[in-house]
Amino acid sequence: MAKIIVADDEQLIRRLVSDFLKKDGYTVLEAENGEEALRIFENNKDTDLLVLDIMMPQKDGWEVCREIRKTSNVPILLLSARSQEFDQINGFEAGADDYVTKPFSPVLLVKRVEALLKRTNNNAKSADGDIQGLTIDKNAHQVFIDGKEISLTVKEFNILLKLIDNKGRVYSREQLLDDIWGFDYYGDTRTVDSHVARLRTKLGEWGNRHLKTVYGVGYKIQESDINEQE
């Protein structure tokens, strides 16, 4: 069963989340601050998902998320009493894959964890892809351009995978939101735009050539190198 790190400086909440996850058979490691969460993650690279509170001492959830994203695409769910849109956007900008606000239902939180793990595992089962210098190792969640590894978040990886697997097909922002974030996600399509913009930047010249915006519609991967207005 999957291994999950739960980090929250409030012991009652940390134990509540941990107990519900354990009841569903997950292995849970607990941390009471951001620094401890990072140490535990470094010693447990087989971690399948992290649940991070935002307002933690030493390092907050945003900082922990950014640090982890430097080396790993492991799914991250942020947990916070901060419910403003700005805070949620900051979370996704830091590389989070989902965001749950307090107070919350522990049962629904476990379902969000379950859905996130399922989406991540399903995306990893596809066959490897290779297109004009870009190679995807789907089982290892790695992307290479001309042999150089490109570090992507899980959402960025999954967007690229979706578009690569359906080259030439235009996906609307709404379709990508449903397919990548899930039907129960309450954010808006600007989240898709910001993720695609960061993905194109990370992919560099390859992204400029192949990751196309179809204005008023959505996004697609264009296999041939045609000089097309962005």
Side-chain angles (χ1 to χ4, degrees), residues 15-28:
R15 290 291 170 81
L16 177 67
V17 173
S18 297
D19 287 346
F20 271 83
L21 289 171
K22 288 175 182 177
K23 284 180 182 178
D24 268 32
Y26 296 107
T27 298
V28 180

Side-chain angles (χ1 to χ4, degrees), residues 3-15:
K3 179 186 290 187
I4 299 173
I5 296 174
V6 176
D8 196 309
D9 60 322
E10 296 184 58
Q11 184 179 20
L12 288 177
I13 292 179
R14 188 173 70 247
R15 290 291 170 81

